[in-house]
Short mmCIF file of all heavy atoms in Angstrom, two decimals:
data_model
loop_
_atom_site.label_atom_id
_atom_site.label_comp_id
_atom_site.label_asym_id
_atom_site.label_seq_id
_atom_site.Cartn_x
_atom_site.Cartn_y
_atom_site.Cartn_z
N MET A 1 -76.68 -5.10 13.81
CA MET A 1 -76.03 -5.89 14.69
C MET A 1 -77.02 -6.99 15.17
O MET A 1 -78.15 -6.80 15.01
CB MET A 1 -75.37 -5.18 15.87
CG MET A 1 -76.28 -4.41 16.77
SD MET A 1 -75.50 -3.50 17.89
CE MET A 1 -74.11 -4.29 18.53
N LYS A 2 -76.34 -8.09 15.57
CA LYS A 2 -77.20 -9.22 15.91
C LYS A 2 -76.87 -9.65 17.46
O LYS A 2 -75.86 -9.58 17.81
CB LYS A 2 -76.93 -10.39 14.94
CG LYS A 2 -77.71 -10.51 13.81
CD LYS A 2 -77.64 -11.76 13.18
CE LYS A 2 -78.57 -11.84 12.01
NZ LYS A 2 -78.24 -12.88 11.09
N VAL A 3 -78.02 -10.24 18.07
CA VAL A 3 -77.74 -10.82 19.27
C VAL A 3 -78.17 -12.29 19.27
O VAL A 3 -79.17 -12.68 18.44
CB VAL A 3 -78.51 -10.22 20.39
CG1 VAL A 3 -80.09 -10.29 20.17
CG2 VAL A 3 -78.28 -10.84 21.78
N GLU A 4 -77.27 -13.10 19.93
CA GLU A 4 -77.65 -14.63 19.97
C GLU A 4 -77.85 -14.95 21.56
O GLU A 4 -76.84 -14.54 22.23
CB GLU A 4 -76.58 -15.52 19.47
CG GLU A 4 -76.77 -15.95 18.09
CD GLU A 4 -75.76 -16.92 17.47
OE1 GLU A 4 -75.37 -17.78 18.33
OE2 GLU A 4 -75.42 -16.84 16.45
N VAL A 5 -78.84 -15.53 21.86
CA VAL A 5 -78.90 -16.01 23.36
C VAL A 5 -79.09 -17.56 23.35
O VAL A 5 -79.97 -18.06 22.74
CB VAL A 5 -80.14 -15.29 24.04
CG1 VAL A 5 -80.12 -15.76 25.51
CG2 VAL A 5 -80.09 -13.81 23.84
N ASP A 6 -78.11 -18.19 23.92
CA ASP A 6 -78.14 -19.64 24.03
C ASP A 6 -79.06 -20.02 25.24
O ASP A 6 -78.55 -19.84 26.34
CB ASP A 6 -76.64 -20.12 24.37
CG ASP A 6 -76.59 -21.67 24.33
OD1 ASP A 6 -77.74 -22.34 24.57
OD2 ASP A 6 -75.63 -22.29 23.99
N LEU A 7 -80.22 -20.39 24.97
CA LEU A 7 -81.19 -20.67 26.06
C LEU A 7 -80.94 -21.92 26.74
O LEU A 7 -81.48 -22.21 27.86
CB LEU A 7 -82.69 -20.74 25.41
CG LEU A 7 -83.01 -19.25 24.69
CD1 LEU A 7 -84.30 -19.51 24.06
CD2 LEU A 7 -83.12 -18.16 25.85
N ASN A 8 -80.01 -22.75 26.18
CA ASN A 8 -79.56 -23.96 26.95
C ASN A 8 -78.63 -23.61 28.16
O ASN A 8 -78.64 -24.21 29.10
CB ASN A 8 -79.04 -25.00 26.04
CG ASN A 8 -79.99 -25.59 25.11
OD1 ASN A 8 -81.16 -25.95 25.52
ND2 ASN A 8 -79.66 -25.64 23.78
N LYS A 9 -77.92 -22.44 27.92
CA LYS A 9 -76.89 -22.06 28.95
C LYS A 9 -77.62 -21.22 29.91
O LYS A 9 -77.25 -21.23 31.07
CB LYS A 9 -75.87 -21.15 28.29
CG LYS A 9 -74.92 -21.88 27.55
CD LYS A 9 -73.68 -20.90 27.26
CE LYS A 9 -72.51 -21.54 26.37
NZ LYS A 9 -71.62 -20.50 25.84
N CYS A 10 -78.57 -20.27 29.48
CA CYS A 10 -79.39 -19.30 30.31
C CYS A 10 -80.01 -20.02 31.39
O CYS A 10 -80.65 -21.18 31.27
CB CYS A 10 -80.37 -18.57 29.45
SG CYS A 10 -81.45 -17.61 30.41
N GLN A 11 -79.83 -19.33 32.61
CA GLN A 11 -80.49 -19.94 33.81
C GLN A 11 -81.38 -18.97 34.44
O GLN A 11 -81.76 -18.99 35.73
CB GLN A 11 -79.50 -20.49 34.81
CG GLN A 11 -78.75 -21.78 34.29
CD GLN A 11 -77.84 -22.38 35.27
OE1 GLN A 11 -77.74 -21.98 36.48
NE2 GLN A 11 -77.07 -23.36 34.81
N ASP A 12 -81.78 -17.97 33.64
CA ASP A 12 -82.92 -17.11 34.10
C ASP A 12 -82.58 -16.25 35.27
O ASP A 12 -83.37 -15.78 36.13
CB ASP A 12 -84.21 -17.84 34.40
CG ASP A 12 -84.71 -18.53 33.07
OD1 ASP A 12 -84.90 -17.93 32.06
OD2 ASP A 12 -84.79 -19.83 33.30
N HIS A 13 -81.18 -15.87 35.29
CA HIS A 13 -80.81 -14.99 36.43
C HIS A 13 -81.20 -13.56 36.43
O HIS A 13 -81.39 -13.00 37.38
CB HIS A 13 -79.26 -14.94 36.50
CG HIS A 13 -78.68 -16.26 36.91
ND1 HIS A 13 -78.49 -16.68 38.12
CD2 HIS A 13 -77.93 -17.31 36.11
CE1 HIS A 13 -77.91 -17.88 38.24
NE2 HIS A 13 -77.62 -18.25 36.97
N GLY A 14 -81.44 -13.08 35.17
CA GLY A 14 -82.03 -11.81 34.95
C GLY A 14 -81.21 -10.63 34.88
O GLY A 14 -81.56 -9.48 34.77
N GLN A 15 -79.85 -10.92 35.04
CA GLN A 15 -79.05 -9.64 35.02
C GLN A 15 -79.02 -8.82 33.65
O GLN A 15 -78.96 -7.74 33.61
CB GLN A 15 -77.46 -10.09 35.17
CG GLN A 15 -77.05 -10.22 36.68
CD GLN A 15 -77.27 -11.72 37.03
OE1 GLN A 15 -78.21 -12.45 36.45
NE2 GLN A 15 -76.61 -12.16 37.98
N CYS A 16 -79.33 -9.57 32.63
CA CYS A 16 -79.44 -9.02 31.31
C CYS A 16 -80.60 -8.11 31.27
O CYS A 16 -80.63 -6.97 30.61
CB CYS A 16 -79.64 -9.96 30.29
SG CYS A 16 -80.99 -11.05 30.37
N VAL A 17 -81.60 -8.44 32.00
CA VAL A 17 -82.84 -7.52 32.14
C VAL A 17 -82.53 -6.21 32.75
O VAL A 17 -83.07 -5.14 32.40
CB VAL A 17 -84.02 -8.21 32.97
CG1 VAL A 17 -85.18 -7.37 33.11
CG2 VAL A 17 -84.26 -9.56 32.24
N TYR A 18 -81.77 -6.24 33.86
CA TYR A 18 -81.31 -5.08 34.61
C TYR A 18 -80.38 -4.19 33.67
O TYR A 18 -80.48 -2.93 33.75
CB TYR A 18 -80.71 -5.26 35.95
CG TYR A 18 -81.63 -5.94 36.84
CD1 TYR A 18 -81.50 -7.30 37.06
CD2 TYR A 18 -82.60 -5.22 37.35
CE1 TYR A 18 -82.43 -7.92 37.96
CE2 TYR A 18 -83.61 -5.80 38.30
CZ TYR A 18 -83.50 -7.12 38.57
OH TYR A 18 -84.40 -7.75 39.35
N ALA A 19 -79.54 -4.80 32.92
CA ALA A 19 -78.60 -4.10 32.11
C ALA A 19 -79.07 -3.50 30.96
O ALA A 19 -78.79 -2.56 30.37
CB ALA A 19 -77.36 -5.01 31.79
N ALA A 20 -80.22 -4.19 30.24
CA ALA A 20 -80.84 -3.85 28.95
C ALA A 20 -82.26 -4.03 29.07
O ALA A 20 -82.79 -4.99 28.35
CB ALA A 20 -80.18 -4.67 27.92
N PRO A 21 -82.95 -3.30 29.82
CA PRO A 21 -84.46 -3.49 29.93
C PRO A 21 -85.11 -3.31 28.58
O PRO A 21 -86.24 -3.80 28.44
CB PRO A 21 -84.95 -2.42 31.00
CG PRO A 21 -83.71 -1.44 31.06
CD PRO A 21 -82.46 -2.23 30.62
N ALA A 22 -84.69 -2.56 27.66
CA ALA A 22 -85.20 -2.45 26.35
C ALA A 22 -85.18 -3.63 25.52
O ALA A 22 -85.83 -3.82 24.50
CB ALA A 22 -84.50 -1.27 25.58
N LEU A 23 -84.14 -4.57 25.92
CA LEU A 23 -84.04 -5.68 25.10
C LEU A 23 -84.43 -7.02 25.72
O LEU A 23 -84.73 -8.08 24.98
CB LEU A 23 -82.51 -5.85 24.74
CG LEU A 23 -82.07 -4.55 23.89
CD1 LEU A 23 -80.50 -4.71 23.74
CD2 LEU A 23 -82.61 -4.50 22.63
N PHE A 24 -84.38 -7.07 26.96
CA PHE A 24 -84.67 -8.35 27.73
C PHE A 24 -85.78 -8.13 28.80
O PHE A 24 -85.86 -7.09 29.39
CB PHE A 24 -83.36 -8.88 28.35
CG PHE A 24 -82.26 -9.25 27.37
CD1 PHE A 24 -81.27 -8.22 27.21
CD2 PHE A 24 -82.22 -10.39 26.73
CE1 PHE A 24 -80.30 -8.50 26.27
CE2 PHE A 24 -81.25 -10.71 25.94
CZ PHE A 24 -80.23 -9.71 25.64
N ALA A 25 -86.50 -9.24 28.95
CA ALA A 25 -87.55 -9.16 30.15
C ALA A 25 -87.73 -10.54 30.68
O ALA A 25 -87.29 -11.59 30.03
CB ALA A 25 -88.75 -8.63 29.51
N LEU A 26 -88.28 -10.59 31.78
CA LEU A 26 -88.66 -11.73 32.46
C LEU A 26 -90.13 -11.86 32.37
O LEU A 26 -90.86 -10.93 32.52
CB LEU A 26 -88.13 -11.85 33.96
CG LEU A 26 -86.65 -11.78 34.15
CD1 LEU A 26 -86.39 -11.83 35.71
CD2 LEU A 26 -85.95 -12.98 33.58
N ASP A 27 -90.58 -13.16 32.32
CA ASP A 27 -92.10 -13.32 32.26
C ASP A 27 -92.66 -13.40 33.68
O ASP A 27 -91.85 -13.33 34.61
CB ASP A 27 -92.45 -14.63 31.33
CG ASP A 27 -91.94 -15.81 31.99
OD1 ASP A 27 -91.64 -15.90 33.19
OD2 ASP A 27 -91.79 -16.83 31.14
N ASP A 28 -93.92 -13.73 33.71
CA ASP A 28 -94.58 -13.71 35.04
C ASP A 28 -94.08 -14.88 35.90
O ASP A 28 -94.21 -14.72 37.16
CB ASP A 28 -96.13 -14.08 34.79
CG ASP A 28 -96.76 -12.89 34.09
OD1 ASP A 28 -96.20 -11.89 34.06
OD2 ASP A 28 -97.95 -13.19 33.50
N GLN A 29 -93.46 -15.84 35.36
CA GLN A 29 -92.82 -17.00 36.12
C GLN A 29 -91.39 -16.72 36.43
O GLN A 29 -90.65 -17.70 36.84
CB GLN A 29 -93.11 -18.19 35.45
CG GLN A 29 -94.56 -18.59 35.46
CD GLN A 29 -94.92 -19.68 34.50
OE1 GLN A 29 -94.09 -20.22 33.87
NE2 GLN A 29 -96.22 -19.88 34.15
N GLY A 30 -90.81 -15.53 36.16
CA GLY A 30 -89.41 -15.29 36.34
C GLY A 30 -88.52 -15.88 35.42
O GLY A 30 -87.30 -16.02 35.62
N ARG A 31 -89.05 -16.36 34.16
CA ARG A 31 -88.10 -16.82 33.25
C ARG A 31 -87.77 -15.91 32.10
O ARG A 31 -88.77 -15.07 31.88
CB ARG A 31 -88.74 -18.19 32.58
CG ARG A 31 -89.07 -19.05 33.70
CD ARG A 31 -89.36 -20.60 33.21
NE ARG A 31 -88.15 -21.14 32.86
CZ ARG A 31 -88.01 -22.21 31.93
NH1 ARG A 31 -89.08 -22.58 31.26
NH2 ARG A 31 -86.85 -22.61 31.74
N LEU A 32 -86.78 -16.12 31.51
CA LEU A 32 -86.52 -15.05 30.37
C LEU A 32 -87.50 -15.02 29.32
O LEU A 32 -87.82 -16.19 28.74
CB LEU A 32 -85.14 -15.43 29.77
CG LEU A 32 -84.45 -14.28 28.83
CD1 LEU A 32 -84.16 -13.02 29.66
CD2 LEU A 32 -83.19 -14.92 28.14
N SER A 33 -88.16 -14.03 28.89
CA SER A 33 -89.34 -13.98 28.01
C SER A 33 -88.99 -14.59 26.60
O SER A 33 -89.99 -14.91 25.89
CB SER A 33 -89.98 -12.66 28.08
OG SER A 33 -89.13 -11.74 27.54
N LEU A 34 -87.76 -14.50 26.21
CA LEU A 34 -87.39 -14.98 24.87
C LEU A 34 -87.59 -16.43 24.69
O LEU A 34 -87.70 -16.92 23.51
CB LEU A 34 -85.97 -14.71 24.62
CG LEU A 34 -85.34 -13.29 24.82
CD1 LEU A 34 -83.91 -13.09 24.53
CD2 LEU A 34 -86.17 -12.43 23.77
N ARG A 35 -87.79 -17.19 25.91
CA ARG A 35 -88.01 -18.59 25.66
C ARG A 35 -89.34 -18.97 25.01
O ARG A 35 -89.53 -20.00 24.37
CB ARG A 35 -88.18 -19.24 27.07
CG ARG A 35 -86.86 -19.25 27.82
CD ARG A 35 -86.94 -20.06 29.15
NE ARG A 35 -85.66 -19.90 29.83
CZ ARG A 35 -84.58 -20.59 29.52
NH1 ARG A 35 -84.55 -21.46 28.46
NH2 ARG A 35 -83.50 -20.39 30.17
N THR A 36 -90.28 -17.96 24.82
CA THR A 36 -91.43 -18.23 24.05
C THR A 36 -91.24 -18.10 22.65
O THR A 36 -92.11 -18.61 21.84
CB THR A 36 -92.64 -17.19 24.53
OG1 THR A 36 -92.11 -15.92 24.21
CG2 THR A 36 -92.86 -17.45 25.95
N GLN A 37 -90.13 -17.53 22.26
CA GLN A 37 -89.81 -17.27 20.75
C GLN A 37 -88.83 -18.29 20.20
O GLN A 37 -88.65 -18.32 19.00
CB GLN A 37 -89.32 -15.87 20.59
CG GLN A 37 -90.38 -14.98 20.95
CD GLN A 37 -89.86 -13.52 20.85
OE1 GLN A 37 -89.21 -13.08 19.95
NE2 GLN A 37 -90.03 -12.79 22.05
N ALA A 38 -88.24 -18.97 21.03
CA ALA A 38 -87.16 -20.07 20.60
C ALA A 38 -86.87 -21.11 21.72
O ALA A 38 -87.31 -20.87 22.88
CB ALA A 38 -85.74 -19.27 20.40
N THR A 39 -86.47 -22.20 21.22
CA THR A 39 -86.26 -23.32 22.25
C THR A 39 -84.69 -23.41 22.56
O THR A 39 -84.34 -23.63 23.80
CB THR A 39 -86.72 -24.68 21.68
OG1 THR A 39 -86.21 -24.76 20.43
CG2 THR A 39 -88.32 -24.62 21.71
N ASP A 40 -83.85 -23.41 21.57
CA ASP A 40 -82.45 -23.52 21.84
C ASP A 40 -81.68 -22.27 21.77
O ASP A 40 -81.07 -21.76 22.71
CB ASP A 40 -81.76 -24.54 20.98
CG ASP A 40 -82.40 -25.88 21.09
OD1 ASP A 40 -82.52 -26.26 22.25
OD2 ASP A 40 -82.54 -26.62 20.09
N VAL A 41 -81.59 -21.60 20.58
CA VAL A 41 -80.93 -20.26 20.52
C VAL A 41 -81.80 -19.29 19.94
O VAL A 41 -82.48 -19.46 18.91
CB VAL A 41 -79.74 -20.51 19.52
CG1 VAL A 41 -79.00 -19.27 19.28
CG2 VAL A 41 -78.75 -21.54 19.99
N TYR A 42 -81.92 -18.08 20.61
CA TYR A 42 -82.69 -16.98 20.16
C TYR A 42 -81.81 -16.00 19.32
O TYR A 42 -80.60 -15.70 19.85
CB TYR A 42 -83.27 -16.22 21.34
CG TYR A 42 -83.95 -14.91 20.85
CD1 TYR A 42 -85.29 -14.93 20.49
CD2 TYR A 42 -83.23 -13.80 21.13
CE1 TYR A 42 -85.85 -13.67 20.09
CE2 TYR A 42 -83.76 -12.61 20.80
CZ TYR A 42 -85.01 -12.56 20.31
OH TYR A 42 -85.72 -11.30 19.96
N VAL A 43 -82.12 -15.78 18.06
CA VAL A 43 -81.38 -14.88 17.31
C VAL A 43 -82.18 -13.70 16.88
O VAL A 43 -83.41 -13.90 16.41
CB VAL A 43 -80.77 -15.55 16.03
CG1 VAL A 43 -79.92 -14.66 15.17
CG2 VAL A 43 -79.97 -16.80 16.42
N ALA A 44 -81.72 -12.44 16.94
CA ALA A 44 -82.39 -11.38 16.46
C ALA A 44 -81.65 -10.15 16.07
O ALA A 44 -80.46 -10.10 16.45
CB ALA A 44 -83.41 -10.85 17.53
N ASN A 45 -82.05 -9.29 15.17
CA ASN A 45 -81.37 -8.13 14.82
C ASN A 45 -81.76 -7.12 15.96
O ASN A 45 -82.72 -7.01 16.50
CB ASN A 45 -81.90 -7.57 13.56
CG ASN A 45 -81.35 -8.42 12.42
OD1 ASN A 45 -80.23 -8.90 12.30
ND2 ASN A 45 -82.24 -8.75 11.48
N VAL A 46 -80.54 -6.28 16.27
CA VAL A 46 -80.73 -5.23 17.23
C VAL A 46 -80.26 -4.01 16.67
O VAL A 46 -79.23 -3.88 16.03
CB VAL A 46 -79.88 -5.57 18.58
CG1 VAL A 46 -79.99 -4.52 19.49
CG2 VAL A 46 -80.21 -6.87 19.14
N ASP A 47 -81.16 -2.87 16.94
CA ASP A 47 -80.81 -1.56 16.42
C ASP A 47 -79.43 -1.15 17.11
O ASP A 47 -79.28 -1.43 18.26
CB ASP A 47 -81.92 -0.64 16.70
CG ASP A 47 -81.79 0.57 16.03
OD1 ASP A 47 -80.69 1.42 16.23
OD2 ASP A 47 -82.61 0.92 15.25
N LYS A 48 -78.53 -0.56 16.40
CA LYS A 48 -77.25 -0.05 16.86
C LYS A 48 -77.53 1.03 18.01
O LYS A 48 -76.61 1.16 18.88
CB LYS A 48 -76.45 0.64 15.87
CG LYS A 48 -75.78 -0.35 14.91
CD LYS A 48 -74.53 0.17 14.23
CE LYS A 48 -73.87 -1.07 13.47
NZ LYS A 48 -72.76 -0.66 12.79
N ALA A 49 -78.65 1.55 18.08
CA ALA A 49 -78.88 2.57 19.20
C ALA A 49 -79.01 1.88 20.37
O ALA A 49 -78.78 2.52 21.56
CB ALA A 49 -80.35 3.26 18.92
N ASN A 50 -79.19 0.62 20.53
CA ASN A 50 -79.10 -0.30 21.74
C ASN A 50 -77.80 -0.99 21.99
O ASN A 50 -77.79 -1.84 22.78
CB ASN A 50 -80.27 -1.28 21.67
CG ASN A 50 -81.70 -0.56 21.77
OD1 ASN A 50 -81.88 0.41 22.46
ND2 ASN A 50 -82.59 -0.85 20.94
N ALA A 51 -76.81 -0.57 21.18
CA ALA A 51 -75.56 -1.41 21.22
C ALA A 51 -74.95 -1.35 22.67
O ALA A 51 -74.40 -2.39 23.12
CB ALA A 51 -74.58 -0.78 20.18
N GLU A 52 -74.97 -0.26 23.32
CA GLU A 52 -74.26 -0.08 24.58
C GLU A 52 -75.03 -1.07 25.67
O GLU A 52 -74.25 -1.81 26.34
CB GLU A 52 -74.36 1.28 25.10
CG GLU A 52 -73.32 1.62 26.22
CD GLU A 52 -73.33 3.17 26.52
OE1 GLU A 52 -73.44 3.93 25.57
OE2 GLU A 52 -73.16 3.51 27.70
N GLU A 53 -76.37 -1.01 25.60
CA GLU A 53 -77.06 -1.89 26.59
C GLU A 53 -76.84 -3.36 26.30
O GLU A 53 -76.67 -4.18 27.14
CB GLU A 53 -78.54 -1.58 26.35
CG GLU A 53 -79.04 -0.44 27.11
CD GLU A 53 -80.60 -0.40 27.33
OE1 GLU A 53 -81.17 -1.40 26.95
OE2 GLU A 53 -81.16 0.68 27.42
N LEU A 54 -76.83 -3.69 24.90
CA LEU A 54 -76.69 -5.01 24.55
C LEU A 54 -75.21 -5.71 25.10
O LEU A 54 -75.16 -6.74 25.66
CB LEU A 54 -76.73 -5.21 23.02
CG LEU A 54 -76.54 -6.55 22.43
CD1 LEU A 54 -77.53 -7.59 23.14
CD2 LEU A 54 -76.74 -6.58 20.93
N TYR A 55 -74.13 -4.80 24.81
CA TYR A 55 -72.84 -5.11 25.28
C TYR A 55 -72.76 -5.41 26.75
O TYR A 55 -72.14 -6.21 27.26
CB TYR A 55 -71.79 -4.18 24.78
CG TYR A 55 -71.38 -4.63 23.35
CD1 TYR A 55 -71.61 -3.55 22.36
CD2 TYR A 55 -70.67 -5.70 22.92
CE1 TYR A 55 -71.32 -3.94 20.99
CE2 TYR A 55 -70.25 -5.92 21.68
CZ TYR A 55 -70.60 -5.04 20.70
OH TYR A 55 -70.28 -5.30 19.39
N GLU A 56 -73.43 -4.43 27.52
CA GLU A 56 -73.46 -4.59 28.92
C GLU A 56 -74.18 -5.80 29.42
O GLU A 56 -73.64 -6.50 30.34
CB GLU A 56 -74.26 -3.27 29.47
CG GLU A 56 -74.45 -3.26 31.03
CD GLU A 56 -73.14 -2.99 31.70
OE1 GLU A 56 -72.13 -2.51 31.19
OE2 GLU A 56 -73.13 -3.15 32.93
N ALA A 57 -75.30 -6.14 28.70
CA ALA A 57 -75.97 -7.45 29.03
C ALA A 57 -75.10 -8.56 28.83
O ALA A 57 -75.03 -9.54 29.72
CB ALA A 57 -77.24 -7.57 28.27
N ALA A 58 -74.51 -8.65 27.64
CA ALA A 58 -73.55 -9.76 27.43
C ALA A 58 -72.38 -9.93 28.43
O ALA A 58 -72.01 -10.96 28.80
CB ALA A 58 -72.79 -9.63 25.88
N GLU A 59 -71.95 -8.80 28.91
CA GLU A 59 -70.86 -8.68 29.91
C GLU A 59 -71.38 -9.21 31.27
O GLU A 59 -70.56 -9.96 32.01
CB GLU A 59 -70.34 -7.32 29.96
CG GLU A 59 -68.97 -7.41 30.56
CD GLU A 59 -68.38 -5.84 30.50
OE1 GLU A 59 -68.23 -5.32 29.43
OE2 GLU A 59 -67.86 -5.28 31.66
N VAL A 60 -72.50 -8.88 31.68
CA VAL A 60 -72.91 -9.18 33.06
C VAL A 60 -73.55 -10.60 33.10
O VAL A 60 -73.75 -11.13 34.19
CB VAL A 60 -73.92 -8.25 33.57
CG1 VAL A 60 -73.23 -6.86 33.65
CG2 VAL A 60 -75.14 -8.09 32.79
N CYS A 61 -73.92 -11.17 31.92
CA CYS A 61 -74.56 -12.51 31.92
C CYS A 61 -73.57 -13.60 32.61
O CYS A 61 -72.45 -13.67 32.07
CB CYS A 61 -74.86 -13.03 30.59
SG CYS A 61 -75.61 -14.77 30.59
N PRO A 62 -73.96 -14.20 33.68
CA PRO A 62 -73.07 -15.05 34.38
C PRO A 62 -72.77 -16.40 33.76
O PRO A 62 -71.70 -17.08 33.97
CB PRO A 62 -73.63 -15.20 35.87
CG PRO A 62 -75.10 -15.01 35.57
CD PRO A 62 -75.11 -13.95 34.43
N LEU A 63 -73.48 -16.72 32.69
CA LEU A 63 -73.45 -17.90 32.09
C LEU A 63 -72.80 -17.64 30.63
O LEU A 63 -72.75 -18.65 29.85
CB LEU A 63 -74.80 -18.62 31.80
CG LEU A 63 -75.28 -19.37 33.10
CD1 LEU A 63 -74.30 -20.40 33.51
CD2 LEU A 63 -75.77 -18.54 34.22
N GLN A 64 -72.50 -16.40 30.24
CA GLN A 64 -71.97 -16.17 28.93
C GLN A 64 -72.85 -16.74 27.69
O GLN A 64 -72.54 -17.27 26.90
CB GLN A 64 -70.57 -16.67 28.78
CG GLN A 64 -69.51 -15.73 29.21
CD GLN A 64 -68.91 -16.33 30.60
OE1 GLN A 64 -68.57 -17.48 30.49
NE2 GLN A 64 -68.67 -15.48 31.57
N ALA A 65 -74.25 -16.47 28.13
CA ALA A 65 -75.29 -17.01 27.20
C ALA A 65 -75.58 -16.09 26.04
O ALA A 65 -76.13 -16.42 25.05
CB ALA A 65 -76.54 -17.31 27.99
N ILE A 66 -75.03 -14.78 26.21
CA ILE A 66 -75.45 -13.68 25.19
C ILE A 66 -74.11 -13.45 24.33
O ILE A 66 -73.09 -13.12 24.75
CB ILE A 66 -75.84 -12.45 25.95
CG1 ILE A 66 -77.00 -12.77 26.78
CG2 ILE A 66 -76.11 -11.37 24.88
CD1 ILE A 66 -77.31 -11.69 27.72
N THR A 67 -74.38 -13.57 22.98
CA THR A 67 -73.35 -13.33 22.13
C THR A 67 -73.67 -12.10 21.15
O THR A 67 -74.80 -12.10 20.73
CB THR A 67 -72.98 -14.49 21.24
OG1 THR A 67 -72.75 -15.74 22.08
CG2 THR A 67 -71.74 -14.30 20.20
N VAL A 68 -72.86 -11.18 20.89
CA VAL A 68 -73.20 -10.08 20.12
C VAL A 68 -72.37 -10.10 18.79
O VAL A 68 -71.15 -10.37 18.83
CB VAL A 68 -72.80 -8.73 20.78
CG1 VAL A 68 -73.23 -7.48 19.84
CG2 VAL A 68 -73.52 -8.69 22.24
N GLN A 69 -72.99 -9.87 17.60
CA GLN A 69 -72.16 -9.89 16.43
C GLN A 69 -72.48 -8.56 15.82
O GLN A 69 -73.65 -8.00 15.68
CB GLN A 69 -72.75 -10.96 15.40
CG GLN A 69 -72.45 -12.27 15.90
CD GLN A 69 -73.11 -13.39 15.19
OE1 GLN A 69 -73.82 -12.96 14.07
NE2 GLN A 69 -73.07 -14.61 15.46
N GLU A 70 -71.45 -7.88 15.27
CA GLU A 70 -71.45 -6.56 14.63
C GLU A 70 -72.31 -6.67 13.28
O GLU A 70 -72.13 -7.62 12.68
CB GLU A 70 -70.10 -5.92 14.33
CG GLU A 70 -69.52 -5.49 15.66
CD GLU A 70 -70.32 -4.23 16.28
OE1 GLU A 70 -70.86 -3.48 15.62
OE2 GLU A 70 -70.09 -4.07 17.53
S1 LIG B 1 -78.17 -12.83 32.35
FE1 LIG B 1 -77.79 -14.55 31.05
S2 LIG B 1 -78.38 -16.26 32.28
FE2 LIG B 1 -79.41 -14.46 33.14
S3 LIG B 1 -81.46 -14.38 32.11
FE3 LIG B 1 -79.92 -13.12 30.95
S4 LIG B 1 -79.23 -14.54 29.28
FE4 LIG B 1 -80.11 -15.92 31.03
#
C-alpha cells in the first residue's frame, strides 16, 4: 500500500504523529519530518502491517493531507 502526504496542505498539526508514531514524526522545530524528503507531495510504500495506523492518521488529519492507496 502507498501513502501520499500533500505537504502544501499540511500545517504541521501533528495529529498523524499521535495516530501513527511508526510512520510520522515531528522534527526539532515542530514541523512534519517528511518535509526534508519532499517539497510538495511525499509518496512512500507502507507495509500492510501498519495499515491500521495509517488509516487512523489519514482520518484524524484536519487538513485531509494524507491519502492512502491500497
Ligand atoms: S495531521 Fe495532517 S496537517 Fe497535521 S502534521 Fe499530519 S499531515 Fe500535517
Side-chain angles (χ1 to χ4, degrees):
M1 62 195 315
K2 270 191 177 171
V3 61
E4 260 187 42
V5 184
D6 186 335
L7 296 171
N8 291 317
K9 282 187 186 172
C10 171
Q11 292 183 9
D12 305 298
H13 291 281
Q15 279 92 332
C16 58
V17 177
Y18 295 107
L23 302 173
F24 299 95
L26 296 178
D27 65 18
D28 292 347
Q29 292 163 10
R31 306 196 77 205
L32 194 63
S33 61
L34 302 178
R35 291 188 184 284
T36 59
Q37 297 171 50
T39 49
D40 293 325
V41 180
Y42 170 84
V43 182
N45 290 315
V46 174
D47 193 297
K48 283 200 171 179
N50 292 320
E52 198 172 320
E53 280 193 18
L54 179 56
Y55 278 112
E56 177 71 16
E59 198 175 307
V60 299
C61 175
L63 283 304
Q64 276 107 44
I66 301 172
T67 308
V68 183
Q69 291 171 4
E70 287 294 333

